[in-house]
Amino acid sequence: MSYKFDLPAIFLLGPSAVGKTSLSLELARQFPIEVISVDSAMVFKGMDIGTCKPTASEQKRVNHHLIDVIEPDQNFNAGIYLNYVEQALQDIAKKEKIPLFVGGSMMFHKLLLEGIHDFPTDTSIRKEIDEIKQNNNQNALVAELKALDPETYKAIDIKNSRRVERALEIIKITKTKLSKLKKEPLRKILNKDDCLLLGMSDSKAALDINAEERIKKIVNAGFLKELENLVITYKLTSVSHSMNSINYKQFLPHLEGNITLNEACLDALQATKKLIKTQLTWMKKFELNYVGNTLDENDSNLFSDTIDTYLRSFNK
């Protein structure tokens, strides 16, 4: 099996609001690390408060990649993400640094570790799909997918609009069923067996409390003004890819005058709790080398000890 990069790579997985950013900054103080964000919303420029993006000073302390790489009115997918990852890894390798993949987008972690089919993208096709969605509704896209590729229709979550739209885009560009294309070889960037997989977790109750505090924090930090500026500057709507990101999706209806601020906060909290539950389920699918909680000082030290042992072993 051929892999694009043969270098040590560390993954830090964990649910939202568990403290991944703080730990990554501490680890970067101890090791020659640069961070690669594994977050499908932090890639968008200007979406800072609502994504809890590392601050400018934090990014100055530690070099971060895959943050602020595209405009909020552009579409984004896994293929584009991996192209940016390859550029980041080339840059990190030249500096003889170690990539630390940090984030809660579990699907991206999976693709980085297991590979991806390198499917094309086309802005004109995306525009065509968006127009169908606007003029009809999501059900029209689902019906078209079912007609074009019944096998894919049965396999994917048809309630996930992004996946339905991306499947249709690939089918329309290639004029081939996605179910057939998925049988082709995967594009692999890293050797999963050579990577160190670390996890952060906590009780669901503690994470839910953290999630509620986080929503209060972003609102108090000026999130509504950030959202308003983005919508006005980029003419964003509910069908814009970036506005389907958590928090932005739940607060946009309030900005449009359709729900109260309290209702938006509750919607965001419920969406975050659901996401946390999904992330915790995903984590069980990964063969993690170590899982800890940095609130425990011993766990914090064990993260460092585990990385130190891994790097010495890798460089033998």
Side-chain angles (χ1 to χ4, degrees):
M1 178 64 69
S2 132
Y3 303 94
K4 186 99 182 209
F5 294 92
D6 179 22
L7 74 170
I10 304 166
F11 285 74
L12 180 59
L13 296 81
S16 296
V18 77
K20 297 183 295 295
T21 298
S22 296
L23 178 59
S24 66
L25 293 171
E26 173 58 25
L27 293 176
R29 188 184 65 81
Q30 300 176 43
F31 301 97
I33 280 171
E34 291 197 3
V35 172
I36 298 181
S37 171
V38 188
D39 189 290
S40 59
M42 289 188 187
V43 296
F44 293 109
K45 297 176 182 177
M47 290 173 54
D48 304 330
I49 300 172
T51 63
C52 300
K53 198 176 285 182
T55 65
S57 62
E58 288 171 339
Q59 292 187 51
K60 188 174 181 179
R61 279 167 51 199
V62 180
N63 198 16
H64 284 69
H65 302 264
L66 275 292
I67 289 179
D68 295 334
V69 295
I70 64 172
E71 305 290 341
D73 57 352
Q74 294 179 291
N75 286 310
F76 187 71
N77 59 48
I80 296 171
Y81 176 78
L82 290 187
N83 287 338
Y84 278 110
V85 167
E86 288 193 11
Q87 294 174 26
L89 287 173
Q90 289 171 3
D91 182 49
I92 292 170
K94 285 179 184 176
K95 300 177 191 173
E96 297 185 343
K97 295 287 187 76
I98 301 158
L100 173 64
F101 292 90
V102 181
S105 293
M106 299 299 174
M107 179 60 76
F108 281 5
H109 278 295
K110 182 176 185 293
L111 297 176
L112 286 163
L113 291 164
E114 298 183 4
I116 186 178
H117 288 100
D118 203 4
F119 297 137
T121 187
D122 187 305
T123 53
S124 63
I125 297 294
R126 288 292 315 180
K127 186 177 179 181
E128 175 188 321
I129 292 169
D130 286 341
E131 287 175 354
I132 294 172
K133 184 177 179 179
Q134 287 179 338
N135 296 332
N136 299 281
N137 53 39
Q138 180 66 19
N139 291 335
L141 298 180
V142 172
E144 186 173 8
L145 177 62
K146 184 177 181 180
L148 292 174
D149 190 349
E151 190 175 337
T152 295
Y153 166 80
K154 292 177 182 177
I156 71 170
D157 177 8
I158 59 172
K159 293 181 180 179
N160 188 318
S161 60
R162 293 186 197 177
R163 293 189 186 178
V164 172
E165 292 163 25
R166 178 60 178 148
L168 279 174
E169 180 187 10
I170 295 166
I171 293 168
K172 287 174 179 286
I173 294 171
T174 62
K175 303 189 185 307
T176 306
K177 291 181 179 180
L178 180 56
S179 53
K180 181 180 178 181
L181 293 171
K182 284 192 172 181
K183 294 172 184 175
E184 296 179 357
L186 293 168
R187 162 190 173 193
K188 294 202 172 185
I189 294 180
L190 297 163
N191 184 349
K192 177 182 177 181
D193 294 334
D194 286 345
C195 298
L196 177 65
L197 276 59
L198 303 175
M200 290 184 69
S201 191
D202 206 333
S203 70
K204 181 66 166 56
L207 291 169
D208 286 348
I209 292 171
N210 291 350
E212 187 170 6
E213 290 302 314
R214 173 179 279 195
I215 290 169
K216 291 177 183 176
K217 183 178 178 181
I218 68 171
V219 170
N220 292 334
F223 173 54
L224 291 173
K225 188 63 179 177
E226 172 182 280
L227 177 57
E228 182 180 18
N229 289 339
L230 288 166
V231 169
I232 293 171
T233 303
Y234 294 96
K235 299 179 173 58
L236 303 174
T237 68
S238 60
V239 300
S240 302
H241 192 156
S242 60
M243 291 297 100
N244 277 280
S245 303
I246 203 159
N247 292 329
Y248 297 84
K249 181 176 182 177
Q250 288 75 34
F251 280 88
L252 184 58
H254 169 66
L255 188 68
E256 296 170 338
N258 297 321
I259 62 174
T260 67
L261 176 59
N262 187 55
E263 287 172 327
C265 290
L266 289 174
D267 288 346
L269 179 58
Q270 290 306 311
T272 305
K273 286 181 177 181
K274 184 178 179 181
L275 174 62
I276 289 171
K277 184 177 179 181
T278 301
Q279 290 169 322
L280 291 173
T281 300
W282 262 99
M283 285 182 68
K284 295 175 184 176
K285 300 177 183 179
F286 292 97
E287 296 178 6
L288 302 177
N289 299 99
Y290 174 73
V291 180
N293 182 337
T294 54
L295 294 177
D296 186 316
E297 186 176 345
N298 291 327
D299 273 349
S300 297
N301 293 333
L302 281 170
F303 276 110
S304 301
D305 292 343
T306 303
I307 291 174
D308 188 56
T309 301
Y310 163 72
L311 293 176
R312 283 191 277 108
S313 174
F314 191 93
N315 293 322
K316 280 184 179 179

